[in-house]
Amino acid sequence: MSRIGRLPIEIPAGVDVKVDGSAVTVKGPKGELNLTVAKPIEVSLDGGQLLVTRPNDERESRSLHGLTRTLIANQIIGVTTGYSKGLEIVGTGYRVAAKGANLEFALGFSHPVVVAPPAGISFVVEGNTKLTVHGIDKQAVGEVAANIRKLRKPEPYKGKGVRYAGEVVRRKAGKSGK
């Protein structure tokens, strides 16, 4: 039995969960999220708990068991507290500014880079070198943060670029002069 999949999911106060066949809808103070559960996995509502079960011990069922439980638990956390991912900008002249809901980056290109937030995602800029991505969907927050980081990845010689908050960039020595 999956160690993660067999754990019941506690439903906190203020969160409404509906299970309709393979569709799970989680509604909370911050918003609403939907999940379609893969075929062999079953989700049942038992009082104030959600139980995720699998019908057999086939490889596909075992791999989806813990995954499904974790996805539903992440949705419950998302609609109650939300998720955030911090980013730091390192480099001379590199900065970020909020232009309405959009972000405008100066990353050493000949033009500013403008990033618009997708639905359900918001940006908070602290200073001109730190920003935070907020949202209720863990996957969407991580993907938006990764796409922003991809604009100018931290390079190993000077460490310049966009990095996650707390990310350690391994530095290389570079060429040694004669």
Side-chain angles (χ1 to χ4, degrees):
M1 194 62 150
S2 170
R3 292 174 189 263
I4 293 173
R6 70 176 177 211
L7 297 174
I9 304 169
E10 296 292 330
I11 301 173
V15 175
D16 182 36
V17 179
K18 291 182 183 153
V19 179
D20 183 31
S22 65
V24 177
T25 304
V26 180
K27 197 180 292 187
K30 290 198 176 265
E32 179 179 339
L33 293 170
N34 299 313
L35 176 70
T36 303
V37 178
K39 197 64 171 162
I41 305 299
E42 297 169 0
V43 179
S44 60
L45 195 58
D46 182 32
Q49 294 181 334
L50 272 176
L51 297 174
V52 180
T53 56
R54 65 176 189 237
N56 52 34
D57 280 344
E58 291 181 10
R59 182 186 266 301
E60 186 181 9
S61 298
R62 287 188 321 222
S63 64
L64 291 172
H65 191 197
L67 171 72
T68 303
R69 190 247 177 233
T70 303
L71 290 176
I72 295 171
N74 286 346
Q75 286 187 334
I76 290 174
I77 294 170
V79 298
T80 53
T81 60
Y83 287 99
S84 63
K85 193 88 167 165
L87 294 164
E88 298 171 346
I89 300 172
V90 177
T92 306
Y94 288 11
R95 64 185 177 275
V96 62
K99 298 284 185 194
N102 298 342
L103 294 178
E104 187 175 282
F105 290 92
L107 296 173
F109 299 119
S110 61
H111 55 85
V113 180
V114 178
V115 176
I121 300 293
S122 62
F123 300 123
V124 176
V125 177
E126 302 113 26
N128 58 0
T129 59
K130 292 182 192 269
L131 74 115
T132 310
V133 181
H134 291 286
I136 62 172
D137 188 0
K138 186 176 187 177
Q139 188 269 334
V141 168
E143 185 176 0
V144 169
N147 288 337
I148 291 173
R149 182 182 182 270
K150 212 185 300 183
L151 296 173
R152 181 71 89 173
K153 288 184 181 172
E155 53 97 16
Y157 296 102
K158 290 187 177 179
K160 292 166 52 169
V162 181
R163 60 177 78 168
Y164 297 120
E167 179 182 2
V168 177
V169 177
R170 290 192 57 198
R171 303 293 291 274
K172 291 184 177 179
K175 292 195 285 187
S176 60
K178 288 190 175 180

